[in-house]
């Protein structure tokens, strides 16, 4: 099979893969697969696990939902966070840990914003 290039990006990293044979994932319409010479394609993927078949074997990509574009034989995938490994269980666990930590950070930020708002209102009421 003819290999193609994929460029995967998240908030922390960019990974270029030049020996991709197929990419399987999911969007709102269901599962799909891309191979070299596929027609140009644009979709929003769902959070979860995708499969990348490379020349030397399969790898898995666990990612938050993202924008996937296949243009002129190159796959571009942008997401908030992704993990890639040959072991699906490991990367799925890493993604779940990241999502849990992200939820905790958001909750903490929300509390901090409430405290700032309260302090602002207190100071405005004194003025």
């Amino acid at each position: 099979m003819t290999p193609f290039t994929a460029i995967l990006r998240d908030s922390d990293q960019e990974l270029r893969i030049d020996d991709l044979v197929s990419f399987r994932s999911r969007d709102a319409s269901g599962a799909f697969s891309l191979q070299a010479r596929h027609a140009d394609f644009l979709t929003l993927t769902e959070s979860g696990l995708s499969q990348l078949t490379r020349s030397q074997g399969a790898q898995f990509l666990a990612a938050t939902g993202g924008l996937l574009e296949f243009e002129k034989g190159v796959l571009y995938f942008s997401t908030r966070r992704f993990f890639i490994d040959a072991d699906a269980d490991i990367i799925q666990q890493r993604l779940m840990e990241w999502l849990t930590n992200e939820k905790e950070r958001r909750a903490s930020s929300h509390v901090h914003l409430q405290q700032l708002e309260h302090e602002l209102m207190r100071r405005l009421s004194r003025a």
Side-chain angles (χ1 to χ4, degrees), residues 80 98-110:
R80 288 189 61 214
W98 181 83
L99 288 170
T100 300
N101 290 338
E102 192 67 14
K103 184 177 178 181
E104 290 171 5
R105 278 192 292 264
R106 285 186 183 167
S108 174
S109 295
H110 182 69

Side-chain angles (χ1 to χ4, degrees), residues 41-54:
F41 183 75
L42 179 68
T43 191
L44 295 172
T45 62
E46 296 179 344
S47 294
L49 199 61
S50 299
Q51 182 179 9
L52 295 86
T53 304
R54 299 177 69 175

Side-chain angles (χ1 to χ4, degrees), residues 64-84:
T64 57
L67 178 66
L68 183 140
E69 181 178 11
F70 192 79
E71 182 179 27
K72 298 178 183 170
V74 178
L75 184 146
Y76 301 93
F77 180 63
S78 298
T79 184
R80 288 189 61 214
R81 190 71 173 122
F82 74 83
F83 302 94
I84 188 167

